Amino acid sequence: MIEKPRTVITGASSGLGKCLNRSFSENYNTINISRSLSEGQYNIVVNFNDLSDLKQKLETNKIEHDLCILNAGTLGSVGLSHQISDEEFLQTLKINVLANKMIIDWSISNGCKYFIGISSGAATKNYDGWLNYCVSKSAFRSMIIQYKKDLPELYFKLISPGILSTSMNKKIKSIDVEKYPDMNKFHKTIAVDPQKASDLIYKNYRNYFRREELEIDLRSEREW
């Protein structure tokens, strides 16, 4: 019996990550890296805010894999920029940027050549009160662009799924729109089932890697 190829999916225990695990497990043995157990074959349970523990667990889990999907992330605390503490800001950067760099480097050392970073409109546009999220997603986007530039023999794609019906979306909708008017967008826009985004990514990811553009917005895709 031929063993299935392996793919790493971060945050595969909830939200879009859980849906990605369902979609890709059809033809892949999935490896989840997140704070809690997933339905996948293999789990590396770790809090991305604890970089020392993440490094230790990655070093002790040498698993060859073909594809790495960087999905896990946090919105972080919401507030006016000068009211966000240094500690809160650093925590979001650890989770959304530094942990992802460690996982990319670990994946490369384990033979991975294909990388998908789940991006966001917040990587290129700022929203009221979103210092933590906008800055960290912008840094994540820039990091992926730099890896692609420095390692042309590897394949990187940034995929933005738009507004999805997840716990993060519920958290965003609970934010005071009078204080943070940009949040009105999330009340006016119908959130999409994350399984729809996941299935589309799974169906087309090989074609995405053949396309020239680095960034793909699922909402612009014909099948969306």
Side-chain angles (χ1 to χ4, degrees):
M1 182 177 179
I2 300 175
E3 184 179 358
K4 293 179 181 179
R6 303 185 187 98
T7 184
V8 164
I9 303 172
T10 67
S13 58
S14 63
L16 176 61
K18 185 174 184 177
C19 295
L20 287 166
N21 184 78
R22 289 174 183 159
S23 298
F24 278 83
S25 61
E26 181 177 338
N27 287 308
Y28 280 90
N29 285 325
T30 58
I31 304 156
N32 166 55
I33 307 177
S34 72
R35 291 180 298 176
S36 53
L37 294 173
S38 74
E39 300 169 352
Q41 181 199 36
Y42 197 85
N43 291 274
I44 299 174
V45 179
V46 61
N47 188 331
F48 283 16
N49 193 37
D50 188 343
L51 297 181
S52 295
D53 189 37
L54 174 61
K55 182 177 181 179
Q56 188 272 330
K57 286 181 176 174
L58 290 176
E59 288 177 347
T60 56
N61 286 276
K62 299 187 181 299
I63 309 170
E64 290 189 4
H65 53 282
D66 304 278
L67 173 66
C68 178
I69 304 177
L70 302 161
N71 161 75
T74 181
L75 177 66
S77 55
V78 175
L80 300 180
S81 299
H82 69 289
Q83 295 174 340
I84 300 295
S85 70
D86 299 343
E87 291 77 14
E88 289 173 315
F89 191 48
L90 179 59
Q91 178 175 328
T92 307
L93 288 171
K94 283 181 179 179
I95 295 170
N96 289 353
V97 185
L98 296 173
N100 280 302
K101 184 189 185 306
M102 293 172 67
I103 292 168
I104 291 171
D105 294 344
W106 170 77
S107 288
I108 292 172
S109 72
N110 283 280
C112 185
K113 292 185 177 181
Y114 295 88
F115 296 83
I116 293 174
I118 300 300
S119 190
S120 165
T124 58
K125 178 182 178 181
N126 286 67
Y127 291 85
D128 298 325
W130 278 19
L131 174 79
N132 282 320
Y133 194 61
C134 291
V135 172
S136 61
K137 292 303 285 188
S138 176
F140 173 74
R141 174 180 178 269
S142 181
M143 180 174 69
I144 296 296
I145 291 171
Q146 191 65 43
Y147 266 84
K148 179 177 174 61
K149 184 176 181 63
D150 290 345
L151 299 169
E153 70 277 14
L154 302 182
Y155 301 88
F156 293 88
K157 290 293 172 184
L158 284 162
I159 297 178
S160 295
I163 297 176
L164 303 179
S165 179
T166 62
S167 58
M168 182 181 287
N169 183 251
K170 291 179 182 178
K171 181 178 179 180
I172 292 168
K173 284 185 175 181
S174 71
I175 298 170
D176 185 352
V177 295
E178 290 189 6
K179 189 174 182 180
Y180 305 106
D182 285 342
M183 299 304 100
N184 271 308
K185 171 183 177 180
F186 297 89
H187 290 274
K188 294 177 179 178
T189 305
I190 297 174
V192 175
D193 184 347
Q195 193 64 54
K196 177 180 178 180
S198 171
D199 288 343
L200 186 59
I201 292 170
Y202 173 68
K203 179 181 178 181
N204 293 330
Y205 75 97
R206 291 185 179 90
N207 289 329
Y208 293 158
F209 283 117
R210 297 187 188 104
R211 286 162 55 169
E212 290 187 8
E213 69 267 39
L214 170 63
E215 300 181 79
I216 294 169
D217 189 329
L218 293 185
R219 293 166 296 182
S220 300
E221 295 295 289
R222 182 184 61 187
E223 296 163 283
W224 189 252

